Amino acid sequence: DAGVIQSPRHEVTEMGQEVTLRCKPISGHDYLFWYRQTMMRGLELLIYFNNNVPIDDSGMPEDRFSAKMPNASFSTLKIQPSEPRDSAVYFCASSRGEGTYSPLHFGNGTRLTVT
Amino acid sequence: DQQVKQNSPSLSVQEGRISILNCDYTNSMFDYFLWYKKYPAEGPTFLISISSIKDKNEDGRFTVFLNKSAKHLSLHIVPSQPGDSAVYFCAATVDQTGANNLFFGTGTRLTVIP
């Protein structure tokens, strides 16, 4: 299996620009998560989906952030407008939801730098 | 507020010795705990887990201990190897809800010195 695939690996943009991060989960996984990693707060959950439906978006910092999952094989995280404090590594993860707990499988992340 | 805490940002250990990484949590509803390992420029990968009905789980060189009364868990690596050098994240979830989302600590960077 190819694992969770994220793109781009690196994104450098100017403050005020729109940024779109992309994720392809592992086939057959019905949960998808977006996390943000910062030095101060570690890995923070932003939002997660179950069967393409957003379940909990309480971790989304503010209205500038939005996430969609139009189908089982694709999700996007959008920041509009971006700000320097959004600079971080953004991880997508997926897992199976049935039965005993199934650990999350992470992609390699997108390093976002907003100048 | 952080529900899972790793108070040691870094740890250095000699090759062959034991590495002990610690983690504390505040939410008494957590019933499943995991450790993830992360190399630079890669995503975290699952290492080992433990359910709250157990107090120890072992997998090769890795053992996780859970002390529910103290809301504390630890990861022991014996013997430590240079390839173990990475950032280790402790994570917890309320498995019984089926929500599947994990709460992570801030990580501990382990350096194993050859």
Side-chain angles (χ1 to χ4, degrees):
Chain A
D1 198 320
V4 175
I5 300 173
Q6 290 186 247
S7 64
R9 288 300 308 272
H10 302 274
E11 178 77 45
V12 180
T13 190
E14 292 184 349
M15 181 174 63
Q17 296 298 306
E18 177 179 298
V19 175
T20 300
L21 311 182
R22 297 173 176 79
C23 175
K24 176 179 168 54
I26 293 173
S27 177
H29 283 189
D30 49 10
Y31 279 87
L32 184 139
F33 304 80
W34 283 100
Y35 281 86
R36 176 171 69 176
Q37 183 189 9
T38 61
M39 291 294 293
M40 289 300 295
R41 299 180 68 83
L43 282 159
E44 295 178 276
L45 176 66
L46 300 176
I47 185 172
Y48 76 97
F49 296 82
N50 178 214
N51 292 321
N52 314 338
V53 176
I55 302 300
D56 184 354
D57 65 354
S58 60
M60 296 286 259
E62 47 200 271
D63 292 345
R64 298 184 297 106
F65 285 68
S66 63
K68 294 182 180 179
M69 192 165 185
N71 56 63
S73 60
F74 184 65
S75 177
T76 59
L77 178 67
K78 185 177 293 186
I79 308 172
Q80 165 63 20
S82 57
E83 296 182 3
R85 59 186 167 134
D86 302 331
S87 297
V89 181
Y90 291 80
F91 287 102
C92 176
S94 70
S95 71
R96 286 195 194 90
E98 297 183 2
T100 56
Y101 188 82
S102 174
L104 274 61
H105 296 258
F106 284 82
N108 285 332
T110 295
R111 180 174 294 278
L112 173 64
T113 303
V114 183
T115 60
Chain B
D1 192 25
Q2 289 283 132
Q3 298 187 57
V4 178
K5 300 177 183 179
Q6 294 176 257
N7 293 319
S8 298
S10 62
L11 174 68
S12 292
V13 172
Q14 287 290 136
E15 181 179 3
R17 305 296 290 268
I18 184 171
S19 295
I20 300 176
L21 295 91
N22 293 304
C23 177
D24 298 294
Y25 61 95
T26 58
N27 188 341
S28 58
M29 296 295 291
F30 288 147
D31 58 3
Y32 201 84
F33 305 87
L34 306 89
W35 285 93
Y36 277 77
K37 177 179 181 179
K38 184 184 179 305
Y39 292 119
E42 295 183 8
T45 56
F46 169 70
L47 185 59
I48 191 169
S49 63
I50 187 168
S51 166
S52 61
I53 63 174
K54 296 185 177 181
D55 54 17
K56 176 183 175 181
N57 188 28
E58 189 172 351
D59 183 1
R61 297 185 297 112
F62 302 90
T63 303
V64 56
F65 295 91
L66 175 62
N67 182 334
K68 290 186 290 295
S69 61
K71 294 191 181 67
H72 178 82
L73 65 157
S74 61
L75 175 69
H76 293 209
I77 307 173
V78 182
S80 301
Q81 299 174 353
D84 297 329
S85 296
V87 177
Y88 288 79
F89 289 96
C90 172
T93 189
V94 184
D95 186 30
Q96 61 186 319
T97 67
N100 237 39
N101 53 319
L102 289 178
F103 295 87
F104 283 86
T106 51
T108 297
R109 181 178 301 278
L110 173 66
T111 302
V112 180
I113 303 164

